[in-house]
C-alpha cells in the first residue's frame, strides 16, 4: 500500500468545530450505555424476573454485538458514506432505546440491547472517521481527537450517576430514554453540519469477510469474559479457540479478496500498528484494575453504588484536561516520549495503589486512581490521533474500527489476566481464614468472591462474622495490590516499547506533509507489525475509572 499525497486543505473553521460538537453526542451516549444499566438491574429484575442466564445476556449482549460488528460497520461506512451510516445508526439507536425502555419481558430487553449494540457499532467508527475527514491540519486534528477521547471517558463516568438520579424519581426504563433527545438532535443537525465522505474506489462489500470478523470477535470476547468471570472451563476455551481460528481465516480472506474490508498494509506503517498496540495495552490496565476499585469502594469501604459512582467522578474530572495537554506537548517534542511518559505516570499511579490497605484514607485511593488515569488518557488520546492521522482518509472508517476493536480486546484481556491474578491471591488467603464448621456451600461462596464473603459474614454470629469479613477484605486488598503491580509492570514495558518503536515518527502540518524522521517512511516503507493481534472489547468506550456497579454479575475476586 502506498500512502497518497493529498492537496493541502484549509484549516478547520467554525463549521467544522460545531460539527465536532454534534459528533460528541453519539460518543457520550454509546459510552454511557456501557454503564448506565447497572443501577437499573435490581429494578428490572423485580419487574421482568429474568433467569440468571438471561440477566447475564441483558448485561453482556450490548458489548458482544458492538465488538463483533465494529470492523463490519467501519468498512461499510467507507463504502456507503460515513454520515449516512452515522445517521442510520442514530435512528436505530434511538428506536432500540425506546424498545428497551418499554420492554415487557427479558427476551424483549435482550433483543433491544442487541439492537443497541448494532447501532453503537455504526456510531463509533463513523465519529472518529469523520473527525479524520473534517480536520486536515494535524494540530487541529490532535485537539479534536483529544476532545473526542475526553467525551468517551466522561460518558462512562457520568452514566451511573445519571442512572442513579433517574432511578430515584422514575422507572427503570428511563435510563434508556435519555438517549432519545440526543439522537433526535443528531438526526436534525447532522445533515446540516456533517459533510458526506466515502471511498469511491472501495469496491463491493466483502460479506464473507464480515461474517468471519463477527465469528472471530464474538467468541473471543465471550471466551475471555467468561474465563475472567468463572475461571477456565470447556465452553469458554472452545469459544476462544474458535474465535482465533476465525480470526486467522479472516486475515487470509483480507489478503486474498479482491475488495477486502481492511487494508492489512496499514500494519506496515509503524505509526498505525504500534498505536493499536499501545491502545490495547492501555485498555488492558484500565479495565483490568478499575473493576477492583469499584469493589473496593463498595465491599471494602461499605459505600452504596451511588456514593461510589459519585466519588469515581472526581478522578474523571481531574484528568479531563490531560488529553488536550498531551496533544499540546506532542507538538513540541517527539510523541514517542510523551506516550512513554503517559505509561510511566500510569505505572506510578499503580505502584502508589499497591500500598492500599482496607483502612486507607479515601483520598489515597482517589489520588492513585487520578494518577494512573491521567497517564493512560495521554496514551490513548495520542494513540487515537496518530493511528487515524496516518491512515488514508478514504479508509478512515475501517482503520478506526480496527483501532477500537483492539481496545475492546485489551479490556477483555485485562479483566481476564489481572482479574485472575487478584482472584488467585484472594482464594489462597481465604483458604486459611474460613472458620471451622462452615457449611460447604457457604465456604465456597466466601472463598470465591468478596461479595460472597460479605453475605456469609452477615449470617454468622458476632465476632465470627466480623473476623470473616475482616479476613475477606484483607485478602481482596492483597489481590488488588498484586493486580496493580502486574499492571505497573506492563506499563513500564509499554513505555520502553513506545520509545523503541515510535521514536522519530511524527506528523505535522496538513495532509501531504506527513512524514517520519525514523527508519521507516510514511510513504510506504515497511514498519513494525507487532500489533497484528489487534483485529481481536469500550473501543475507547471504557472510562479511565470504571464506575461503580461494573459487571455486577460476577467480576474477578469480588
Amino acid at each position: 500500500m502506498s500512502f497518497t499525497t493529498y492537496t493541502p486543505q484549509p484549516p478547520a473553521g467554525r463549521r467544522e468545530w460545531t460539527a465536532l460538537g454534534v459528533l460528541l453526542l453519539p460518543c457520550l451516549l454509546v459510552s454511557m450505555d456501557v454503564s448506565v444499566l447497572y443501577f437499573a438491574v435490581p429494578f428490572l429484575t423485580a419487574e421482568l424476573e429474568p433467569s440468571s442466564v438471561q440477566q447475564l445476556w441483558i448485561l453482556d449482549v450490548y458489548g458482544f454485538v458492538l465488538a463483533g460488528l465494529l470492523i463490519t460497520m467501519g468498512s461499510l461506512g467507507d463504502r456507503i458514506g460515513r454520515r449516512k451510516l452515522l445517521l442510520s445508526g442514530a435512528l436505530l439507536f434511538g428506536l432500540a432505546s425506546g424498545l428497551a425502555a418499554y420492554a415487557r419481558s427479558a427476551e424483549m430487553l435482550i433483543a433491544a440491547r442487541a439492537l443497541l449494540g448494532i447501532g453503537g457499532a455504526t456510531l463509533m467508527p463513523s465519529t472518529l472517521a469523520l473527525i479524520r475527514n473534517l480536520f486536515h491540519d494535524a494540530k487541529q486534528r490532535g485537539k479534536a481527537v483529544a476532545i473526542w477521547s475526553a467525551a468517551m471517558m466522561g460518558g462512562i463516568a457520568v452514566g451511573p450517576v445519571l442512572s442513579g438520579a433517574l432511578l430515584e424519581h422514575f422507572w427503570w426504563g428511563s435510563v434508556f430514554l435519555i438517549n432519545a433527545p440526543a439522537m433526535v438532535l443528531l438526526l436534525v443537525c447532522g445533515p446540516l453540519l456533517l459533510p458526506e465522505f466515502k471511498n469511491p474506489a472501495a469496491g463491493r462489500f466483502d460479506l464473507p469477510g464480515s461474517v468471519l470478523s463477527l465469528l472471530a470477535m464474538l467468541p473471543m470476547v465471550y471466551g475471555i469474559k467468561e474465563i475472567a468471570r468463572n475461571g477456565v472451563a470447556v465452553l469458554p476455551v472452545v469459544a476462544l479457540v474458535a474465535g482465533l481460528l476465525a480470526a486467522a481465516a479472516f486475515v487470509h480472506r483480507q489478503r486474498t479478496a479482491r475488495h477486502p474490508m481492511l487494508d492489512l498494509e496499514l500494519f506496515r506503517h509503524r505509526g498505525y500498528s504500534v498505536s493499536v498496540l499501545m491502545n490495547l495495552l492501555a485498555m488492558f490496565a484500565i479495565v483490568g484494575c478499575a473493576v477492583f476499585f469499584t469493589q473496593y469502594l463498595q465491599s471494602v469501604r461499605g459505600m452504596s453504588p451511588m456514593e461510589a459512582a459519585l466519588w469515581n467522578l472526581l478522578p474523571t474530572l481531574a484528568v479531563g484536561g490531560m488529553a488536550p495537554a498531551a496533544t499540546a506537548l506532542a507538538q513540541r517534542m517527539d510523541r514517542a516520549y510523551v506516550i512513554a511518559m503517559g505509561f510511566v505516570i500510569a505505572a506510578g499511579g499503580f505502584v502508589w495503589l499497591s500500598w492500599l490497605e482496607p483502612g486507607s484514607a479515601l483520598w489515597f485511593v482517589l489520588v492513585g486512581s487520578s494518577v494512573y488515569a491521567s497517564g493512560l488518557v495521554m496514551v490513548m488520546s495520542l494513540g487515537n490521533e496518530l493511528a487515524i492521522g496516518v491512515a488514508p482518509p478514504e479508509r478512515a472508517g475501517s482503520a478506526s474500527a480496527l483501532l477500537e476493536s483492539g481496545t475492546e480486546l485489551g479490556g477483555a484481556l485485562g479483566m481476564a489476566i489481572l482479574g485472575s491474578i487478584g482472584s488467585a491471591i484472594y482464594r489462597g488467603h481465604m483458604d486459611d481464614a474460613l472458620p471451622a464448621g462452615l457449611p460447604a456451600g457457604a465456604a465456597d461462596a466466601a472463598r470465591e468472591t468478596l461479595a460472597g464473603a460479605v453475605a456469609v459474614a452477615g449470617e454468622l454470629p458476632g465476632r465470627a462474622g466480623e473476623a470473616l469479613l475482616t479476613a475477606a477484605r484483607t485478602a481482596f486488598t492483597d489481590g488488588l495490590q498484586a493486580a496493580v503491580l502486574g499492571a505497573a509492570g506492563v506499563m513500564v514495558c509499554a513505555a520502553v516499547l513506545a520509545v523503541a518503536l515510535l521514536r522519530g515518527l511524527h506528523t505535522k502540518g496538513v495532509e501531504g506533509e506527513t512524514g517520519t524522521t525514523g527508519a521507516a517512511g510514511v510513504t510506504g516503507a515497511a514498519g513494525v507489525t507487532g500489533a497484528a493481534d489487534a483485529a481481536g472489547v469500550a473501543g475507547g468506550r471504557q472510562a479511565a475509572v470504571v464506575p461503580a456497579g461494573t459487571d455486577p454479575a460476577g467480576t474477578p475476586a469480588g
Side-chain angles (χ1 to χ4, degrees):
M1 178 187 69
S2 62
F3 286 78
T4 309
T5 299
Y6 294 89
T7 303
Q9 301 290 326
R14 181 179 301 176
R15 180 185 180 88
E16 286 77 13
W17 289 106
T18 305
L20 175 63
V22 173
L23 290 176
L24 295 184
L25 290 173
C27 292
L28 284 168
L29 291 175
V30 173
S31 59
M32 282 173 54
D33 234 56
V34 173
S35 59
V36 76
L37 183 61
Y38 293 124
F39 282 1
V41 167
F43 300 91
L44 66 87
T45 299
E47 181 173 333
L48 302 180
E49 299 181 350
S51 66
S52 59
V53 173
Q54 287 175 329
Q55 182 172 315
L56 287 176
W57 277 107
I58 289 171
L59 292 168
D60 288 342
V61 69
Y62 173 80
F64 287 162
V65 174
L66 188 148
L69 290 178
L70 276 172
I71 295 176
T72 294
M73 294 304 179
S75 176
L76 187 62
D78 287 343
R79 285 163 168 78
I80 70 171
R82 290 157 198 165
R83 185 182 69 180
K84 182 184 295 184
L85 184 67
L86 178 72
L87 297 179
S88 300
L91 180 61
L92 177 60
F93 203 84
L95 293 175
S97 297
L99 182 64
Y102 293 101
R104 291 294 174 262
S105 66
E107 293 83 0
M108 184 176 176
L109 183 56
I110 291 171
R113 291 278 288 169
L115 290 175
L116 282 168
I118 296 173
T122 68
L123 296 173
M124 296 313 301
S126 298
T127 56
L128 196 53
L130 283 168
I131 288 174
R132 174 68 179 91
N133 296 121
L134 285 168
F135 297 91
H136 302 279
D137 180 82
K139 291 184 178 180
Q140 290 185 322
R141 185 169 59 246
K143 293 177 182 177
V145 172
I147 295 170
W148 181 87
S149 301
M152 298 295 298
M153 179 184 68
I156 286 284
V158 170
V161 178
L162 183 58
S163 173
L166 287 171
L167 291 170
E168 286 187 3
H169 302 284
F170 305 101
W171 94 112
W172 61 265
S174 62
V175 302
F176 293 107
L177 289 185
I178 58 175
N179 296 331
M183 288 304 169
V184 170
L185 185 61
L186 176 60
L187 289 170
V188 172
C189 297
L192 300 176
L193 294 172
L194 299 174
E196 184 61 284
F197 294 96
K198 61 181 177 180
N199 181 7
R204 181 180 299 177
F205 181 71
D206 182 17
L207 183 59
S210 173
V211 173
L212 285 172
S213 71
L214 187 64
L215 293 176
M217 284 296 293
L218 276 179
M220 282 197 294
V221 173
Y222 168 79
I224 292 170
K225 286 196 70 173
E226 284 300 303
I227 290 172
R229 177 182 287 142
N230 299 315
V232 177
V234 174
L235 183 59
V237 171
V238 170
L240 191 56
V241 171
L244 291 172
L245 291 175
F250 173 75
V251 171
H252 176 74
R253 170 73 187 179
Q254 299 312 294
R255 286 176 172 171
T256 58
R258 183 177 180 183
H259 301 293
M261 294 174 61
L262 296 176
D263 189 345
L264 296 181
E265 290 293 311
L266 273 174
F267 284 105
R268 295 179 65 83
H269 189 297
R270 59 180 173 140
Y272 184 82
S273 58
V274 178
S275 293
V276 173
L277 177 61
M278 296 296 104
N279 272 22
L280 185 151
L281 294 175
M283 191 58 67
F284 171 92
I286 289 175
V287 178
C289 292
V291 292
F292 285 99
F293 296 112
T294 297
Q295 297 170 76
Y296 177 85
L297 292 177
Q298 293 184 28
S299 297
V300 177
R301 301 193 64 91
M303 292 183 180
S304 68
M306 186 65 176
E307 184 182 4
L310 287 170
W311 280 114
N312 263 331
L313 278 178
L314 289 183
T316 303
L317 295 175
V319 305
M322 292 305 297
T327 300
L329 193 59
Q331 293 169 0
R332 292 171 171 80
M333 60 185 294
D334 193 322
R335 74 177 61 229
Y337 296 112
V338 183
I339 292 175
M341 184 190 307
F343 279 124
V344 170
I345 291 172
F350 288 129
V351 171
W352 170 284
L353 288 166
S354 70
W355 286 307
L356 187 65
E357 299 290 344
S360 296
L362 181 59
W363 66 264
F364 190 92
V365 185
L366 297 177
V367 168
S369 298
S370 298
V371 171
Y372 89 71
S374 297
L376 294 178
V377 166
M378 293 173 63
V379 170
M380 297 189 72
S381 175
L382 291 178
N384 288 333
E385 189 276 327
L386 178 58
I388 294 303
V390 301
E394 68 272 11
R395 293 190 177 272
S398 56
S400 62
L402 189 56
L403 179 67
E404 292 173 23
S405 296
T407 59
E408 289 282 352
L409 183 60
L413 288 170
M415 186 178 293
I417 295 173
L418 297 180
S420 296
I421 292 172
S423 294
I425 292 177
Y426 174 83
R427 287 193 294 268
H429 288 197
M430 288 301 293
D431 284 338
D432 301 325
L434 295 175
L438 197 64
D444 290 341
R447 186 185 293 111
E448 286 301 314
T449 68
L450 175 59
V454 171
V456 172
E459 300 295 326
L460 295 177
R463 293 184 178 179
E466 293 178 4
L468 177 60
L469 188 58
T470 299
R473 287 172 171 171
T474 301
F476 176 83
T477 307
D478 290 343
L480 182 155
Q481 292 170 353
V484 296
L485 284 176
V490 172
M491 296 299 93
V492 171
C493 293
V496 174
L497 284 174
V499 173
L501 302 179
L502 289 177
R503 183 173 53 192
L505 182 72
H506 66 90
T507 56
K508 62 181 180 178
V510 296
E511 290 166 0
E513 297 178 0
T514 304
T516 121
T517 58
V522 170
T523 54
V528 177
T529 59
D533 60 346
V537 131
R541 288 168 310 284
Q542 304 288 345
V545 180
V546 173
T550 297
D551 203 4
T555 45

